[in-house]
Amino acid sequence: MAESKPTPLEPSKLGTKAYWDALYTTELSTHTSDPSLEGTVWFDDSDAEAKILSYLSPENDDDDHPDHSPHPHNLDPATASILDLGCGNGSLLFSLRDDGWSGHLLGVDYSRQSVALAKQVAESRKNEDLKSVEFKVWDVLNGDIPDISPEHGWDLVLDKGTFDAVSLSDEKDTKGRRINEGYGERVLQLLKVGGIFLVTSCNWTETELRNWFETSTTPNDDKTKLKMVGRIDYPSFSFGGVKGQTITTLCFEKVVVA
């Protein structure tokens, strides 16, 4: 029997575009007044960005990085194309550029204010390389994929909290599903075969994320699916005899269905 989908999250204002537009309007105004205040870096309290950069590093070695499980991808920092879904203030892409990733980096967000903030932060930093990071207004669930995707798809697609936000929306798609249920299908369309999807969540456990993206995501017409190939471990806690993490980062690869 197929495993059932995880229990849906209770809808929240964090699942609405109005909430994010208001947040980034405020952060844009704050940054205009004081460029040192660049806005929220999601999961900063877990040092997620540093761990993601370390995980993706070509020098990643299990002995040196005990908090990583092995990953088979072969991304070249000089050429890898990287898409950040729900880019916010652009922090993750700026960190990647600073870390030597010099290929095509694009951040997309459905909030115009978010994209304006990311562009403004890039202009304000004293680093000319950051100005080559691209940002566009684009809706991951409804935007035309050819508008933002290379011909054969992206090498790496990043999500740091965006699936969480989508999962808090009470909107339905044309099939009558909560809109987060079609998220994996869109990710598949964005990736090249062999491409990597790295997703970070505070709302879903590893088991639930694997269910959403491995089990519940329908293979595309080109007979491809998402397969988990790695993870990042964070400091754990125990409560009531159950061990857990405050956030989860999993790595999926787009593979051809056998």
Side-chain angles (χ1 to χ4, degrees):
M1 180 181 295
E3 188 176 356
S4 61
K5 293 183 178 69
T7 302
L9 300 179
E10 192 69 25
S12 158
K13 64 181 181 181
L14 275 71
T16 66
K17 185 173 181 294
Y19 173 85
W20 298 107
D21 284 346
L23 174 73
Y24 289 116
T25 295
T26 298
E27 293 196 343
L28 184 60
S29 176
T30 299
H31 182 261
T32 300
S33 301
D34 183 351
S36 69
L37 301 176
E38 296 182 345
T40 304
V41 176
W42 302 108
F43 309 133
D44 190 39
D45 55 346
S46 298
D47 206 20
E49 283 195 5
K51 287 182 177 291
I52 288 171
L53 263 62
S54 176
Y55 179 80
L56 293 171
S57 170
E59 287 75 37
N60 183 351
D61 181 276
D62 292 338
D63 293 334
D64 296 331
H65 300 80
D67 56 348
H68 300 158
S69 68
H71 55 81
H73 60 73
N74 184 27
L75 296 173
D76 182 353
T79 59
S81 59
I82 303 175
L83 174 67
D84 186 13
L85 299 176
C87 60
N89 64 353
S91 175
L92 182 54
L93 291 182
F94 296 146
S95 294
L96 284 163
R97 186 66 96 217
D98 283 339
D99 207 44
W101 293 80
S102 54
H104 181 196
L105 271 60
L106 171 64
V108 296
D109 204 293
Y110 70 169
S111 171
R112 290 186 178 277
Q113 291 85 342
S114 160
V115 171
L117 174 63
K119 290 180 177 179
Q120 185 168 289
V121 170
E123 288 292 329
S124 69
R125 291 197 187 186
K126 300 183 184 301
N127 183 341
E128 289 298 318
D129 287 342
L130 297 187
K131 295 179 182 178
S132 65
V133 180
E134 188 180 6
F135 296 98
K136 288 184 178 181
V137 178
W138 190 79
D139 185 341
V140 60
L141 293 174
N142 299 300
D144 289 333
I145 288 180
D147 288 348
I148 59 100
S149 194
E151 181 181 357
H152 299 294
W154 294 89
D155 293 306
L156 172 63
V157 172
L158 301 168
D159 177 323
K160 188 157 67 72
T162 298
F163 182 63
D164 281 354
V166 171
S167 298
L168 292 170
S169 172
D170 62 358
E171 291 185 51
K172 301 290 181 67
D173 65 15
T174 56
K175 297 180 181 179
R177 307 174 298 180
R178 289 274 292 270
I179 57 173
N180 67 301
E181 295 189 38
Y183 194 88
E185 295 163 19
R186 295 286 285 184
V187 169
L188 267 177
Q189 294 177 62
L190 290 164
L191 284 169
K192 67 188 298 184
V193 174
I196 295 298
F197 175 50
L198 197 64
V199 56
T200 302
S201 170
C202 64
N203 286 338
W204 301 107
T205 65
E206 176 176 325
T207 298
E208 290 169 331
L209 286 175
R210 293 192 68 172
N211 186 310
W212 280 124
F213 295 113
E214 279 189 322
T215 307
S216 299
T217 295
T218 304
N220 274 359
D221 291 340
D222 60 358
K223 305 303 181 185
T224 57
K225 66 177 183 178
L226 293 170
K227 176 184 177 182
M228 181 180 155
V229 292
R231 70 168 62 79
I232 297 174
D233 291 328
Y234 296 90
S236 59
F237 64 91
S238 294
F239 182 78
V242 178
K243 187 176 181 180
Q245 298 179 164
T246 56
I247 67 172
T248 301
T249 300
L250 297 184
C251 181
F252 296 89
E253 181 181 359
K254 180 176 177 176
V255 300
V256 177
V257 177

